[in-house]
Amino acid sequence: MSMKAIPVSEAERIHQLDVIRGFALFGIYFVNMPTFLQPALFLPEDGLPADHSMLDVWIRLFFNMFVQTKFYTIFSFLFGAGFYLFMSRAEAKGHRVSMLYMRRLSGLFLIGVIHFLFLWYGDILHTYALTGLILLLYYRKRDMQVQGWAWFWLLSLQLLYAMTLLLPSEPDVHRAIADQRLAQKAIHVYTSGNWDDWMQFRLVNEFPLVLANEWFAIWSVLPLFLFGFSFARLGLFQQTRLFLPAIKRLWWLLLMISCVLVVMIPLLQFEVVRPPASAFVSVQVFVGWSGLSLCAFYICSLLLLYENERARKLLLPLAPVGRMALTNYLLQTIVSVVAARWLQLYGEASMAMGLLLCLIVFSLQVAASKWWLNRFRYGPAEWLWRCFTYATLMPIRKKRELPVKNS
């Protein structure tokens, strides 16, 4: 491996990307927390256990309106942007970019599979790695072609969503009974079972459901990857000020669209509006649609805020979290799974308890990330990933500057 094969330096970092990534990780933790604390795959359609409180109902509604599907979309957009930055910088340094990128994806896939198999079925890393392979097909294409394909993949999926609104659906009583039994079994296994019990339950009951939807997950994130790649190539993050007038106009448009889509969610949930599809299906469709509009709205908002000096100071604590996004993502799983087991929270914790746990853990991550990066170049997981990508042992500890002696 050439000595030039070094990762991005501090001077090359685009700090607003780190801020947006940290913000997205905050929202993703909120979305994932119910799956750490409850057998979410086997709960009723509303995602709440039978003994839920009214507070849980309102928190779930708030999540559907402003959090659910709004943050993995941001992360996916940023992955596409990171793809362009990685490839273009590697190419500028004279590397064989495809080979380097394949090693990068292989490392991410390996981390994702370990996370998926041994910690939590909701891993997104392996999906990103698989979808990242498809991005290579678009690297040499013109911007108009990339955006055209992005719109094609996006709109084709949304057309399927729209069609489901027209299909009436009856509740499957037998499926509901089977899911209730599996939910009870999951609570027993994850609170009282040993490691073998965990793995057997996951292999038999959880993994098949997740893997059956893998193609759908890839289809969902691919257009976002392509949009992120395209906008990064246009210089959106490198030269944000040139795009400010367009970002402001887009911000207002996205605000109006998002208001309509978000308001529809409670109207559908409480059946004020009744399309042919069930309330659950209708809500999920509008949760997905609002996820796309609010994803773009949140990104535009953060880009605009970052250009304001006072707002930037408030946002900058998120940057270390974003720089260590892989480490923090994995730590969120580890801390939550351990807490659910040892504090006997699994199957018992409410949405409110999960929300409180998210706020505590993420606050600690903000402080810990800053402390770590004051001493080290990368987060632990990021360091391992870079070593694998560049096939060399990277220095991780920062060099201390020696005091200058006066002559």
Side-chain angles (χ1 to χ4, degrees):
M1 181 65 67
S2 167
M3 290 298 291
K4 290 183 179 180
I6 56 174
V8 60
S9 68
E10 179 65 27
E12 293 177 298
R13 294 201 69 85
I14 301 174
H15 295 288
Q16 58 264 53
L17 277 179
D18 292 328
V19 167
I20 298 172
R21 196 176 288 113
F23 175 74
L25 196 66
F26 184 44
I28 285 172
Y29 196 21
F30 280 134
V31 173
N32 292 341
M33 180 55 74
T35 67
F36 295 136
L37 299 179
Q38 294 285 347
L41 285 177
F42 314 112
L43 290 180
E45 290 181 340
D46 58 11
L48 296 170
D51 58 347
H52 65 268
S53 66
M54 200 60 202
L55 178 58
D56 290 334
V57 173
W58 289 110
I59 294 175
R60 180 75 263 174
L61 177 60
F62 175 82
F63 274 30
N64 283 341
M65 293 173 69
F66 301 107
V67 183
Q68 195 78 28
T69 75
K70 282 69 174 176
F71 289 89
Y72 89 86
T73 44
I74 297 177
F75 230 74
S76 301
F77 181 87
L78 295 179
F79 187 97
F83 162 75
Y84 168 72
L85 295 172
F86 178 86
M87 296 288 281
S88 60
R89 287 165 175 169
E91 196 169 40
K93 294 172 183 176
H95 303 314
R96 296 172 60 186
V97 290
S98 295
M99 184 183 70
L100 201 62
Y101 181 65
M102 288 298 293
R103 289 186 62 86
R104 182 175 175 82
L105 284 185
S106 299
L108 185 65
F109 183 75
L110 181 61
I111 295 171
V113 168
I114 293 171
H115 185 225
F116 175 67
L117 288 177
F118 300 110
L119 288 171
W120 177 54
Y121 66 82
D123 171 76
I124 195 67
L125 302 177
H126 72 282
T127 301
Y128 278 13
L130 293 173
T131 313
L133 291 172
I134 305 174
L135 275 179
L136 280 175
L137 302 175
Y138 295 92
Y139 183 59
R140 302 295 179 187
K141 293 187 181 297
R142 299 190 305 272
D143 289 330
M144 289 296 292
Q145 290 177 303
V146 173
Q147 292 181 22
W149 276 106
W151 281 110
F152 169 78
W153 292 118
L154 183 71
L155 294 177
S156 60
L157 182 58
Q158 305 318 310
L159 179 61
L160 287 180
Y161 278 144
M163 291 173 63
T164 63
L165 290 173
L166 304 176
L167 301 174
S169 56
E170 296 293 332
D172 189 338
V173 178
H174 297 292
R175 173 66 183 273
I177 294 173
D179 282 349
Q180 186 179 15
R181 290 173 179 168
L182 283 173
Q184 293 171 349
K185 185 176 180 180
I187 292 171
H188 173 74
V189 166
Y190 289 127
T191 55
S192 305
N194 56 34
W195 183 258
D196 290 339
D197 297 328
W198 285 31
M199 292 307 300
Q200 184 177 359
F201 180 83
R202 299 181 72 199
L203 287 170
V204 173
N205 299 292
E206 293 178 345
F207 290 171
L209 291 176
V210 175
L211 295 175
N213 290 301
E214 189 66 33
W215 65 271
F216 177 78
I218 291 173
W219 192 357
S220 299
V221 301
L222 177 58
L224 299 166
F225 280 18
L226 292 173
F227 279 123
F229 163 53
S230 176
F231 281 107
R233 190 159 68 176
L234 290 172
L236 175 65
F237 301 105
Q238 304 93 316
Q239 299 173 306
T240 304
R241 292 188 178 183
L242 298 179
F243 294 87
L244 286 181
I247 293 173
K248 290 176 182 178
R249 291 193 297 269
L250 183 60
W251 187 91
W252 283 106
L253 176 62
L254 291 166
L255 177 62
M256 291 186 288
I257 294 172
S258 297
C259 284
V260 174
L261 295 175
V262 167
V263 167
M264 282 295 295
I265 294 171
L267 294 179
L268 290 164
Q269 179 170 321
F270 297 114
E271 298 189 346
V272 177
V273 178
R274 297 185 179 184
S278 68
F280 168 73
V281 171
S282 303
V283 166
Q284 293 309 303
V285 169
F286 277 87
V287 166
W289 286 347
S290 62
L292 294 171
S293 64
L294 278 178
C295 159
F297 175 77
Y298 290 157
I299 291 173
C300 288
S301 298
L302 290 169
L303 288 174
L304 292 173
L305 287 170
Y306 195 83
E307 293 302 312
N308 179 281
E309 186 175 350
R310 289 185 178 179
R312 188 186 309 135
K313 289 180 180 178
L314 296 176
L315 292 174
L316 280 177
L318 292 172
V321 184
R323 284 185 63 180
M324 292 175 54
L326 180 59
T327 295
N328 283 316
Y329 173 74
L330 297 172
L331 278 176
Q332 286 173 358
T333 300
I334 295 169
V335 170
S336 301
V337 169
V338 170
R341 173 73 181 212
W342 296 109
L343 299 179
Q344 297 293 303
L345 296 176
Y346 193 82
E348 299 292 334
S350 64
M351 290 287 292
M353 175 64 75
L355 182 62
L356 178 62
L357 186 58
C358 280
L359 292 172
I360 293 171
V361 172
F362 191 81
S363 298
L364 292 174
Q365 286 188 311
V366 170
S369 297
K370 182 178 180 180
W371 179 89
W372 181 273
L373 289 175
N374 283 337
R375 293 158 177 79
F376 301 95
R377 299 171 187 264
Y378 321 107
E382 286 77 10
W383 177 74
L384 287 172
W385 191 18
R386 280 166 168 78
C387 290
F388 187 91
T389 299
Y390 296 99
T392 188
L393 196 63
M394 296 283 179
I396 185 172
R397 187 175 290 275
K398 285 185 174 180
K399 294 180 180 178
R400 293 183 180 180
E401 294 184 2
L402 297 175
V404 178
K405 296 182 179 180
N406 295 325
S407 56

